Amino acid sequence: MIELTVAEAIERGAALAAGGRAVLGIAGCPGAGKSTLSAAITASVVSSVVVPMDGFHMLNEDLVRLGRRNRKGAPDTFDVAGFVAMLRRLRGQSAGEVVTAPRYDRAASAPVPDAISVASDDALVITEGNYLLLDHSPWDDVRPLLDEVWFVDIDDDVRVPRLIARHIQFGKTPDEAREWVMRSDEANAALVATSRSRADVVVRMP
């Protein structure tokens, strides 16, 4: 498997964009730096845009109704069908067509519809999320729609404190943040880690 630094990954992203419309997936455990890497690529690669998987979180009221609210972020708390439909639209986007996608608002803990616009001449569309490489239904519909998928790798002793700090930033107490991370996020991370071998590239984050 190819292993890249962040700088090398940016170069590879630029090469993908040079070939016309490409859809790149960036996977990895919670807190690994998927959004950071995506932002670094879009800052350097002209005509690139990020459509995160997190925009397809189910609404909190639906999670409560389904009994899944205390596991928000797990694979079965996303609108996978909606995410797959969006990827298919992006792959088949017509000249002059603008496709809109949702963005997740962490402060509001809810998706914001139509917050991201993708123009037909955006050469590189990046989608980042935990579960892009899962090989069981319904997530296994995702991988065939992506030209490449990269797995972001980082030491857990960096990732876990960063994740706890992020939960604190968005309203949890330190104790609540640690409990959520160690119970929910780390269970998800263990699942995501099993998909690492299916990536085309591993990007080592500092």
Side-chain angles (χ1 to χ4, degrees):
M1 184 182 297
I2 300 170
E3 296 195 12
L4 302 178
T5 64
V6 171
E8 291 168 337
I10 292 171
E11 291 181 2
R12 189 178 180 100
L16 281 173
R21 170 60 61 85
V23 184
L24 167 65
I26 297 180
C29 297
K34 300 181 293 296
S35 299
T36 300
L37 178 59
S38 299
I41 295 170
T42 56
S44 300
V45 178
V46 176
S47 298
S48 58
V49 62
V50 181
V51 179
M53 185 197 84
D54 278 358
F56 294 87
H57 271 289
M58 291 182 183
L59 296 175
N60 288 338
E61 50 264 41
D62 292 331
L63 294 176
V64 170
R65 176 175 52 81
L66 294 167
R68 303 174 191 173
R69 180 65 182 88
N70 68 339
R71 296 189 299 103
K72 185 170 182 175
D76 63 348
T77 65
F78 288 86
D79 174 13
V80 187
F83 181 51
V84 168
M86 174 60 63
L87 292 176
R88 287 179 175 145
R89 286 190 66 194
L90 292 170
R91 292 212 67 89
Q93 192 170 358
S94 303
E97 179 187 10
V98 175
V99 174
T100 59
R103 174 184 60 81
Y104 188 69
D105 184 335
R106 291 188 183 278
S109 188
V112 180
D114 301 322
I116 299 168
S117 294
V118 182
S120 59
D121 58 356
D122 284 327
L124 181 64
V125 178
I126 302 169
T127 187
E128 53 96 351
N130 297 338
Y131 305 122
L132 308 182
L133 290 166
L134 293 190
D135 61 354
H136 59 74
S137 181
W139 287 99
D140 56 353
D141 286 335
V142 172
R143 180 62 185 89
L145 297 170
L146 306 175
D147 293 291
E148 288 190 0
V149 182
W150 304 350
F151 192 94
V152 176
D153 212 7
I154 194 168
D155 292 338
D156 286 345
D157 60 359
V158 175
R159 181 181 62 80
V160 172
R162 176 187 294 170
L163 196 53
I164 292 171
R166 187 169 76 190
H167 282 292
I168 293 170
Q169 178 186 354
F170 288 101
K172 288 184 172 64
T173 67
D175 286 346
E176 289 170 341
R178 176 169 290 279
E179 189 279 332
W180 185 278
V181 168
M182 302 314 295
R183 172 183 56 80
S184 182
D185 288 336
E186 287 305 275
N188 298 333
L191 174 62
V192 172
T194 67
S195 71
R196 182 182 187 275
S197 63
R198 291 189 283 278
D200 299 294
V201 168
V202 171
V203 181
R204 182 67 183 174
M205 298 297 285

